[in-house]
Amino acid sequence: MGLTLPVPVVTIGLLIASNVFMTIAWYGHLKFKSAPLLTVILVSWGIALFEYVMQVPANRIGYGHFSAAQLKTIQEIISLTVFALFSWLYLGERLGWQHGVGFALICLGAWFVFHDWS
């Protein structure tokens, strides 16, 4: 007997994994400024393939349970969270109070997307 996970768990799990790959593809090369640009593009493209392998099923599985706008909102919140952690842990960048305020405002926007106004 197999374990069936709820649609939100599968969708959000795949979106988290896809965003980790995409963040690495887009920003991981910043520590390797001496690498040739063509090499960086090709390596990033290869990494991004794994993002698509998870992003497309996440949207397909999640659509119906979530609206397209809700799926995009979930993806953006995850993307910002993954990026903030990546830039802090991998790139060593400082996250200030203004980042927290901006992120809180984006989360407030997400609340509006998910709130049923009818």
Side-chain angles (χ1 to χ4, degrees), residues 4-112:
T4 303
L5 296 173
V7 168
V9 171
V10 173
T11 301
I12 292 169
L14 285 169
L15 288 174
I16 290 169
S18 74
N19 274 280
V20 168
F21 279 102
M22 192 50 103
T23 299
I24 292 168
W26 283 2
Y27 302 102
H29 62 87
L30 295 178
K31 280 193 163 182
F32 305 98
K33 298 281 279 178
S34 63
L37 186 56
L38 181 59
T39 301
V40 167
I41 291 169
L42 294 175
V43 169
S44 293
W45 191 31
I47 294 168
L49 171 66
F50 295 101
E51 185 268 345
Y52 282 91
V53 167
M54 290 174 258
Q55 179 81 23
V56 171
N59 288 328
R60 184 166 283 207
I61 292 165
Y63 187 66
H65 184 87
F66 298 108
S67 69
Q70 288 172 329
L71 282 169
K72 183 61 179 171
T73 301
I74 293 166
Q75 190 277 329
E76 292 300 333
I77 296 294
I78 290 169
S79 179
L80 286 171
T81 303
V82 168
F83 178 76
L85 289 170
F86 181 86
S87 64
W88 175 55
L89 296 171
Y90 181 76
L91 296 176
E93 294 188 359
R94 181 187 71 78
L95 296 175
W97 66 268
Q98 69 275 23
H99 299 103
V101 170
F103 191 69
L105 290 172
I106 292 167
C107 288
L108 179 63
W111 179 82
F112 278 97

